[in-house]
Amino acid sequence: MNTLEEKISSAAAAGRTALIPFLTAGFPDKIRFWPTIMELDDNGADIIEIGVPFSDPVADGPVVAEASQRALSDGVHLREILAEMKERKGLIKAGVVLMGYLNPFLQYGFEKLAVDAAAAGVHGFIIPDMPFEESVSLRAALKNQGIALIALIGPNTGEKRMRLYAGENEGYVYVVSVMGTTGERTALAPQIAFVIRRARSVFSVPLALGFGLGDPSQLTMLPHDAQPDAVVFGSALLTHLDAGKSAAAFLNRWR
């Protein structure tokens, strides 16, 4: 079983939904970033998604996009992220996933990316703007290093396309809760329960629900048979941290 699947399965065995915080690399600033990652790790994060800053984050709402711009202004880039992760390999108990856009990974080179990511302790990648049909070479390079390439599906993903992803998917499936960009919402889209049920019937790996989550009460809007195995929160966490509050306090609301 993939490390990411193990993390989510362990949470399920403990009777809870797995927690997956997302934090843009270099946020709130370069000095506080790694202490914040360790605080998340020490306070219940099962998997941590680290965002690779990019100048044109088409899937991100204003909060994550601004965080990305701030990080880029501070000189945060992929090579530095991997180097600093390598220095800390083995110190983070949670699974670690890099989430970013294709261009920086393409420029880095897929084979080198896979080797360096493995050396840095990365367990998975999420690349929102990489079509499945164009992922063959990267998927193969990552697979050789035991790293998962995680699929994103949303309200507009049909069952036929889900089955295409399911044939290759590892780790978990990222279920996008809304049509649109990242950012907090007060409610979940009505059709998301149907999307989760359909995904459950297709995929053999856990389902992680993200985009728009900011409060645990949102999960009560979903029926029992459409609860996700894990939840991902990004914008709400970034806003919380930017207000000077602690990562531990945010995670405690979800535990």
Side-chain angles (χ1 to χ4, degrees), residues 2-49:
N2 179 281
T3 297
L4 302 174
E5 293 179 56
E6 290 178 355
K7 296 294 182 184
I8 297 175
S9 295
S10 294
R16 61 180 180 82
T17 305
L19 303 180
I20 308 181
F22 167 94
L23 189 64
T24 302
F27 187 89
D29 53 52
K30 291 179 75 170
I31 293 175
R32 289 182 287 173
F33 173 67
W34 284 108
T36 304
I37 289 289
M38 299 312 299
E39 188 177 354
L40 290 168
D41 189 49
D42 289 340
N43 286 276
D46 297 287
I47 295 169
I48 300 173
E49 293 180 356

Side-chain angles (χ1 to χ4, degrees), residues 122-154:
V122 175
H123 301 106
F125 276 83
I126 301 173
I127 308 177
D129 61 341
M130 185 174 208
F132 177 84
E133 290 79 1
E134 297 176 17
S135 67
V136 176
S137 58
L138 175 59
R139 189 180 301 279
L142 294 178
K143 200 165 194 174
N144 285 341
Q145 299 297 329
I147 299 173
L149 184 57
I150 296 160
L152 280 94
I153 64 169

Side-chain angles (χ1 to χ4, degrees), residues 15 25 28 32 40 57 60 63 83 129 131-132 139 143 148 167 181 193 208 220 223 235 240 253:
R32 289 182 287 173
L40 290 168
D60 292 323
V63 173
D129 61 341
F132 177 84
R139 189 180 301 279
K143 200 165 194 174
T181 59
T220 65
S235 296
H240 177 93
R253 293 163 49 196

